[in-house]
């Protein structure tokens, strides 16, 4: 896929200012990894009077097929027409739009630290896309770009110039000319390229509404084809399209009224709601785990019993965690984690930070060795007490990470849950729930056996009578354990309750 942007200038305003706006130096050819190939940025010409920046997206057809199999999970239906040989990698589509957003992210936002005055300046621009799929033909191309102030050239591309009787393909050669801020031009392309293609290479989730409105701010709310644009951009998902159109109308009304959209959308009097909503316990738990990991300086982290990947997602947001491995015995949970993390949409660099693998915590696994930290978040209470020694050895004796973070419910706090019957555990799959003293006895015994220190921290409000809802133990490796052999068959002394009945007591 290929796109060029050309501007002209003078000695007072050199055309090479384009390099400052794009944050790409005209004297260098640069490469950027994307989830489906490599993006190249270079300048075929760069002078005072004329400067052209080119974006070449070299799509990897194998990655295109492997990452997008069908419309439901990350692929337009024709993204793999003939598996590894097809015309899609050469025609502009949502792949090119995503590359624009990734490679020119600062330019899209109108940011230029070196020359902050440049983003607000209108430039004479000529944008060319040699092969652009246009479902609706050249006429639709004009309807989409002309209202934005562009002079539009859209020449149909023949199926085969040697056989004119075959007619034209659904592709056009696009040329846009006009004066515009570079950020506006890029945002027009970012939205309208996939709209003309009428397909996306990835699953359209609710957050696509926010992307559309951010990129369409200032122009989409007034566009005569906004309904068509919203519908196609959001893959014709009616609920998302309706939400986008309602928010666009609110933005238009707010602009006409000289108000903020929030001021108009005030049917609910939030000031009348005096009840402060506390952060969910799951959020507090993740925050406590992340704080402990940051404190220890861990970079490579195991999430043991990762479930649907909530903690993995939180770890990904922090660049200090360079390697994240989620382990779960359930393949169904791992598939759901992959879907929620949207691994198929990540750049290759981001995706390389994440590994999801099937494994059981009650068996030693050499793949789990060599990590800085391991997390067992709300996991141990799902293990039958007789199998706890095996899980203990697999983590503390065999994998031996420098840090281990364990969280588990505090059984004493259960009396504060009004909807929880007396004597019941919080989840039907919990084999036990420990009191603070039971958990601390187990954790201290584990630390002594395997050469760790341990400290305890509350998660959530620390009730003076019954303690916090969740208890956290932070283990740090200090010496080689005097007795870290694998547990023998039978039930060695773990400091833990020996039966589920004792554990729940």
């Amino acid at each position: 896929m290929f796109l060029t942007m050309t501007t002209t200038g003078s000695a007072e305003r050199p055309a090479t200012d384009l390099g400052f706006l794009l944050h790409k130096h005209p004297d260098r050819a640069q490469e950027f990894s994307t989830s489906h190939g490599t993006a190249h940025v270079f300048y075929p010409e760069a002078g005072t009077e004329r400067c052209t920046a080119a974006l070449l997206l070299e799509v990897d057809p194998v990655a295109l097929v492997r990452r997008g199999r069908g419309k439901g999970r990350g692929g337009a239906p024709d993204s793999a027409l003939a598996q590894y040989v097809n015309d899609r990698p050469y025609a502009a589509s949502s792949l090119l739009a995503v590359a624009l957003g990734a490679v020119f992210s600062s330019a899209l936002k109108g940011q230029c630290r070196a020359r902050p005055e440049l983003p607000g300046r209108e430039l004479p621009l000529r944008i060319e896309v040699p092969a652009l799929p246009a479902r609706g033909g050249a006429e639709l191309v004009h309807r989409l770009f002309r209202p934005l102030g562009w002079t539009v050239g859209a020449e149909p591309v023949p199926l085969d110039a040697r056989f004119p009787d075959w007619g034209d393909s659904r592709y056009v050669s696009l040329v846009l000319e006009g004066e515009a801020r570079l950020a506006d031009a890029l945002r027009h392309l970012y939205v309208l390229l996939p709209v003309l293609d009428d397909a996306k290479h990835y699953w359209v989730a609710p957050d696509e509404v926010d992307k559309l409105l951010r990129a369409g701010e200032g122009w989409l709310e007034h566009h005569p084809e906004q309904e068509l644009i919203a519908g196609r951009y959001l893959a014709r998902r009616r609920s998302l399209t309706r939400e986008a159109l309602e928010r666009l109308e609110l933005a238009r009304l707010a602009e006409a009224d000289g108000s903020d959209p929030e001021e108009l959308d005030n049917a609910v009097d939030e000031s009348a709601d005096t009840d402060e909503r506390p952060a969910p316990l799951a959020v507090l738990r993740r925050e406590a785990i992340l704080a402990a990991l940051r404190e220890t300086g861990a970079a490579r982290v195991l999430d043991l019993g990762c479930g649907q990947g909530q903690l993995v997602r939180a770890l990904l947001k922090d660049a200090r965690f360079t390697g994240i491995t989620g382990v779960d015995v359930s393949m169904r949970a791992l598939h759901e984690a992959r879907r929620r993390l949207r691994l198929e949409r990540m750049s290759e660099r981001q995706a390389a930070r994440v590994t999801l693998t099937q494994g059981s915590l009650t068996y030693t696994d050499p793949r789990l060795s060599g990590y800085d930290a391991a997390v067992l978040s709300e996991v141990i209470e799902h293990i039958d007490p007789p199998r706890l020694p095996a899980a203990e050895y697999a983590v503390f004796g065999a994998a031996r990470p420098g840090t281990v973070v364990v969280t588990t419910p505090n059984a004493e706090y259960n009396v504060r849950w009004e909807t929880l019957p007396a004597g019941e555990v919080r989840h039907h799959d919990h084999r036990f729930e420990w009191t603070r003293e039971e958990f601390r006895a187990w954790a201290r015994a584990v630390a002594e056996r395997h050469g760790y220190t341990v400290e305890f921290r509350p998660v959530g409000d620390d009730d003076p009578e019954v303690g916090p809802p969740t208890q956290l133990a932070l283990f740090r490796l200090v010496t080689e354990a005097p007795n870290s052999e694998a547990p023998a068959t039978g039930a060695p002394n773990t400091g833990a309750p020996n039966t589920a009945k004792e554990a729940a007591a």
Side-chain angles (χ1 to χ4, degrees), residues 155-180:
E155 291 295 325
V157 177
L159 282 171
D160 193 321
R162 297 172 300 174
F163 302 97
D165 292 344
W166 289 4
D168 295 327
S169 68
R170 61 183 177 89
Y171 301 98
V172 300
S173 176
L174 175 68
V175 177
L176 301 176
E177 292 184 298
E179 290 200 1

Side-chain angles (χ1 to χ4, degrees), residues 285-286 289 301-313 315 324-331 333-334 337 355-363 365 368 373-383 391 395 404-407 429:
R285 188 185 305 123
R286 282 195 294 274
I289 292 170
V301 180
L302 284 168
D303 181 9
L304 301 174
C306 65
Q308 298 175 3
Q310 292 92 334
L311 179 60
V312 173
R313 184 192 304 130
L315 290 166
I324 305 157
T325 296
V327 181
D328 204 284
V329 72
S330 169
M331 282 302 300
L334 292 172
T355 302
L356 298 178
T357 186
Q358 186 179 31
S360 171
L361 300 186
T362 56
Y363 297 93
D365 189 338
L368 307 185
V375 177
L376 293 95
S377 177
E378 309 300 285
V379 170
I380 60 171
E381 65 272 13
H382 292 271
I383 302 174
V395 177
V404 181
V405 181
V406 179
T407 71
D429 191 48

Side-chain angles (χ1 to χ4, degrees), residues 94-157:
S94 59
L95 288 168
L96 184 59
V98 169
L100 275 173
V103 176
F104 300 134
S105 59
S106 296
L108 266 166
K109 297 172 186 174
Q111 298 174 347
C112 182
R113 292 182 181 178
R115 299 279 301 279
E117 78 281 1
L118 288 182
R121 183 186 300 171
E122 290 192 346
L123 303 177
L125 291 172
R126 178 182 173 90
I127 298 172
E128 298 182 63
V129 184
L132 174 66
R135 298 178 191 267
E139 186 266 338
L140 179 59
V141 178
H142 284 270
R143 282 165 47 199
L144 293 182
F145 283 103
R146 271 184 177 169
L148 301 174
W150 294 103
T151 299
V152 183
E155 291 295 325
V157 177

Side-chain angles (χ1 to χ4, degrees), residues 441-460:
W442 174 82
R444 289 180 180 129
V446 169
E448 182 178 356
R449 276 192 293 274
H450 299 285
Y452 285 78
T453 62
V454 61
E455 62 178 283
F456 302 95
R457 301 177 179 181
V459 178

Side-chain angles (χ1 to χ4, degrees), residues 400-417:
R400 294 190 68 71
T403 297
V404 181
V405 181
V406 179
T407 71
T408 192
N410 170 20
E412 296 169 81
Y413 193 88
N414 288 353
V415 296
R416 296 291 187 256
W417 302 113

